[in-house]
Amino acid sequence: MRYNTYIFDLDGTLLDSLQDLAASCNYALRWADMPERSMEEVRKFVGNGVKKLMERAIPGGMDNPRFDETYQTFRKHYMVHNLDTTKAYPGIMELLATLHKEHRNMAVVSNKFYAATQDLCRHFFGDYIQVAIGERENIRKKPAPDTVTEALRQLGVSAENAIYVGDSDVDIETARNCGMPCASVLWGFRSREFLIKHGAEHLIANPLDLLDIK
């Protein structure tokens, strides 16, 4: 096991949260009398934070005069319903337990809003995840390196001997901007072909495969 520090994306990497995200998205769209989105559409919309998800889902995006109230309706619904069907992917808890036993540093960096990131990590991962950072007003979100830099600061480590783990092109770009290698997971929201097209360097089909990356 080469790396001392593991920085994880959350949605599509550690947690299968697509169904709850889609349910809250469509709840808000129904509330605003806007057309609902299919699961596959929502799958394509996620990856850049929930505000970007709703920008893509709402007709006209942020130019829609009802964008703000519809987005806030999504947020309120999601904070209540983000545990309805969300679950850790198979093998994730075994991976985190192994890394914890080996005294590796672990953090989650997500473009999901801060409160939901904290709540989900606390609920699912307990003491395994030492630092969890979500979207905040005073810090640039991924693919900017800021949230990863903050996670490393809170862990008290440098980017040396650290690896980033995610499921999207945003994650690949984030790792690149941080000067870190990236492990791209194949069980998340993006396909193998999509990840390869966007420059994936390490593809893993099973969470425990992460331990074999040199």
Side-chain angles (χ1 to χ4, degrees):
M1 199 183 303
R2 170 184 169 186
Y3 300 100
N4 293 326
T5 301
Y6 293 77
I7 308 294
F8 294 96
D9 172 55
L10 186 60
D11 295 301
T13 301
L14 298 179
L15 294 181
D16 183 359
S17 55
L18 184 62
Q19 192 168 334
D20 287 339
L21 287 166
S24 291
C25 172
N26 283 326
Y27 173 88
L29 293 173
R30 286 195 303 274
W31 174 87
D33 197 26
M34 297 175 184
E36 295 183 37
R37 297 293 192 166
S38 70
M39 190 72 71
E40 281 309 304
E41 285 179 308
V42 175
R43 181 189 297 275
K44 294 176 182 177
F45 293 163
V46 298
N48 293 83
V50 292
K51 191 168 188 176
K52 180 61 71 172
L53 159 62
M54 293 307 293
E55 180 182 346
R56 291 164 172 163
I58 292 172
M62 294 183 70
D63 291 332
N64 189 307
R66 301 197 67 191
F67 176 83
D68 287 339
E69 59 181 340
T70 307
Y71 170 57
Q72 291 303 324
T73 298
F74 165 88
R75 284 177 63 104
K76 291 175 184 176
H77 186 272
Y78 187 70
M79 284 304 299
V80 175
H81 295 278
N82 60 29
L83 291 175
D84 286 1
T85 64
T86 292
K87 58 187 179 298
Y89 284 104
I92 288 297
M93 298 310 296
E94 184 179 359
L95 168 66
L96 299 184
T98 300
L99 293 173
H100 181 72
K101 183 179 179 180
E102 295 292 331
H103 305 290
R104 307 299 172 174
N105 304 300
M106 289 181 280
V108 162
V109 171
S110 176
N111 279 342
K112 185 190 291 290
F113 47 93
Y114 191 84
T117 300
Q118 293 275 313
D119 288 349
L120 288 167
C121 285
R122 189 179 304 112
H123 176 82
F124 284 102
F125 309 127
D127 294 336
Y128 287 161
I129 299 297
Q130 299 152 275
V131 172
I133 296 177
E135 182 181 31
R136 298 162 74 175
E137 290 185 2
N138 61 341
I139 189 168
R140 293 181 301 169
K141 66 181 183 178
K142 301 183 295 183
D146 302 36
T147 49
V148 175
T149 300
E150 175 62 16
L152 294 172
R153 186 193 69 78
Q154 291 188 28
L155 288 171
V157 299
S158 70
E160 187 178 3
N161 295 321
I163 186 169
Y164 186 98
V165 187
D167 75 304
S168 73
D169 53 323
V170 173
D171 295 313
I172 293 169
E173 187 176 353
T174 300
R176 187 180 300 123
N177 290 339
C178 296
M180 296 167 58
C182 182
S184 297
V185 309
L186 295 175
W187 56 82
F189 298 160
R190 301 290 185 264
S191 68
R192 175 190 290 269
E193 292 72 24
F194 180 94
L195 294 169
I196 291 173
K197 179 181 177 181
H198 287 84
E201 55 182 316
H202 300 291
L203 295 169
I204 56 174
N206 182 288
L208 291 179
D209 292 344
L210 181 63
L211 306 179
D212 296 326
I213 296 178
K214 305 300 183 183

